[in-house]
Amino acid sequence: MRVAIAHYWLLNMRGGEKVLEALCRILPQADIFTLFYDSRKVSEIIRSRKVTASFLNSGRRFYRSLLPLMPLALESLDLRDYDLVISSESGPAKGVITRAETRHVCYCHTPMRYLWQLYPDYLHDWTPAWKRGLMAPIANYLRLWDYSTAARVDEFVANSENVRRRIWRSYRREAEVVYPPVDVHNFRWEPPSDFYLAVGELVAYKRLDYAVRWFSASGRRLLIVGSGPEYARLKAMAQPNVEFCGHVSDAELRRLYAQCRALLLPGEEDFGITAVEATASGKPVIALGRGGVLDSVPAEGLFPYQQPTEAHLAAAVEAFEAAESMVPRAALQQAAARFSEDAFAERMRSILRV
């Protein structure tokens, strides 16, 4: 059986790429197809595979601006020789065209946020006024295409109950939930230092802006790991107690998890791999109480708040600090074990029948 994995783009190593690595271990014979590929930015296991990039790859530096051309690029990828295709979807990966006899399973991290559940935020809050006139017709065209391509998928797999609901709302398709893999056994607990931690790409939907403002005003120390288009804006509003660490090594990230007081998640997460990494380190999570974090963090380690505002965040941090000494770190680490790569592999092998 010939197997292909279609992944939206390979330009960094985040949660979606960790899932791709796990799929590569389950399917050692699989080839990879993607819109954009930079071999310097991915892991050895991905580089070791045959990777085919689309005709847009030469413009990968400006990949966000090429969204209107992505449907054409995906449909130009040649998957005629494959019996099983797994699309890894949070960009438009499921839009590949296969033979009628080919089985197509989509592992969906989320339907495209900027076309569906977060479209009003992108249009009204996160897009400059001069771009809005272009964005609306392009988004309308892409939504129609994205909805139609759901019919090309035989089976959907969602990474959380949150995303399962999004798939139904966006595509009217049912999905089975398989939580993404996390290397839970490589994290550890250490006595907390004097800082809170935020980890992720610096993009608008992560909603770090109000968290940066509140921490700057409160004087509490916040370390932010990651980079992205929001870096300059967030840096400009931050006081010295809010530190930007950029990309760090896996070993350094594990140390930061081990020593932080708590992980901060100020935006709605699809699932929340960073939340699992924090709980695997025995650390609690202060989070906007929506989305995947409700799947990934046990109640005894979650300090949720209901609105993305500084006042609600302040109340949650203060609630955490009042209960900090009572957080059951061993229970958090035990709860994280259900998100191991072994559990992911067992479920996916059953679904893929390999």
Side-chain angles (χ1 to χ4, degrees):
M1 180 172 65
R2 295 204 63 190
V3 182
I5 303 171
H7 187 77
Y8 43 97
W9 45 74
L10 290 168
L11 299 174
N12 43 39
M13 287 298 299
R14 296 182 293 162
E17 290 69 44
K18 297 293 187 182
V19 172
L20 177 60
E21 285 185 314
L23 289 172
C24 286
R25 284 187 279 270
I26 295 169
L27 303 162
Q29 77 278 31
D31 298 329
I32 298 173
F33 290 80
T34 189
L35 284 163
F36 307 99
Y37 177 48
D38 187 339
S39 61
R40 300 167 298 176
K41 303 289 182 65
V42 298
S43 65
E44 178 59 34
I45 188 171
I46 295 173
R47 286 196 300 272
S48 71
R49 299 309 174 89
K50 179 185 176 184
V51 179
T52 301
S54 76
F55 66 79
L56 293 177
N57 194 45
S58 61
R60 61 182 177 270
R61 181 179 174 188
F62 310 103
Y63 73 101
R64 296 177 192 276
S65 301
L66 297 175
L67 182 63
L69 297 176
M70 290 180 190
L72 179 62
L74 278 167
E75 292 178 353
S76 72
L77 295 171
D78 187 359
L79 284 83
R80 289 175 295 174
D81 293 336
Y82 296 92
D83 305 297
L84 172 65
V85 171
I86 303 99
S87 54
S88 173
E89 166 86 348
S90 68
K94 74 180 185 311
V96 294
I97 294 176
T98 67
R99 291 183 294 110
E101 298 82 8
T102 301
R103 184 170 173 235
H104 181 175
V105 177
C106 176
Y107 186 90
C108 188
H109 308 281
T110 182
M112 287 186 279
R113 305 173 194 90
Y114 38 83
L115 296 183
W116 298 101
Q117 76 274 10
L118 292 182
Y119 174 72
D121 300 282
Y122 276 93
L123 180 64
H124 299 294
D125 297 336
W126 302 334
T127 300
W130 65 271
K131 282 187 177 180
R132 291 174 194 163
L134 293 173
M135 181 178 179
I138 291 172
N140 179 261
Y141 148 69
L142 289 171
R143 260 194 306 275
L144 292 172
W145 178 85
D146 189 49
Y147 181 84
S148 71
T149 61
R152 301 176 188 177
V153 175
D154 295 300
E155 298 161 62
F156 274 95
V157 180
N159 74 349
S160 63
E161 288 293 335
N162 178 43
V163 168
R164 183 189 63 78
R165 290 189 293 270
R166 290 182 188 174
I167 291 169
W168 174 255
R169 181 174 292 274
S170 300
Y171 306 136
R172 288 299 189 263
R173 293 289 303 274
E174 296 288 353
E176 185 169 350
V177 174
V178 177
Y179 295 123
V182 182
D183 190 11
V184 292
H185 304 298
N186 274 338
F187 293 88
R188 67 185 187 276
W189 181 88
E190 293 182 17
S193 186
D194 66 340
F195 65 90
Y196 292 83
L197 182 66
V199 180
E201 190 178 14
L202 306 186
V203 290
Y205 79 86
K206 295 290 187 179
R207 297 185 182 269
L208 279 161
D209 50 355
Y210 73 90
V212 168
R213 284 194 298 268
W214 184 78
F215 273 87
S216 294
S218 74
R220 292 170 173 85
R221 191 176 172 210
L222 173 65
L223 272 58
I224 300 175
V225 173
S227 62
E230 287 281 283
Y231 173 82
R233 187 172 78 92
L234 295 172
K235 182 73 172 174
M237 68 176 65
Q239 295 298 312
N241 58 298
V242 177
E243 304 172 34
F244 292 81
C245 304
H247 289 292
V248 301
S249 68
D250 289 346
E252 174 65 6
L253 182 58
R254 288 193 292 270
R255 183 190 70 81
L256 292 172
Y257 278 125
Q259 295 179 1
C260 72
R261 296 178 71 177
L263 179 74
L264 177 68
L265 290 174
E268 181 178 332
E269 295 293 315
D270 307 327
F271 168 68
I273 285 180
T274 59
V276 176
E277 291 173 340
T279 54
S281 306
K283 299 304 170 103
V285 178
I286 301 168
L288 186 66
R290 309 173 187 169
V293 73
L294 302 177
D295 285 0
S296 57
V297 182
E300 59 267 32
L302 181 62
F303 292 83
Y305 56 98
Q306 298 309 309
Q307 296 297 328
T309 67
E310 294 174 48
H312 283 81
L313 171 60
V317 172
E318 289 164 5
F320 158 69
E321 290 177 349
E324 184 173 9
S325 63
M326 296 179 286
V327 172
R329 64 182 176 91
L332 297 188
Q333 291 174 304
Q334 183 176 2
R338 67 192 173 112
F339 302 113
S340 69
E341 184 166 335
D342 288 344
F344 171 84
E346 181 179 358
R347 293 289 309 283
M348 288 303 297
R349 284 195 179 100
S350 173
I351 291 169
L352 299 175
R353 301 195 287 273
V354 295

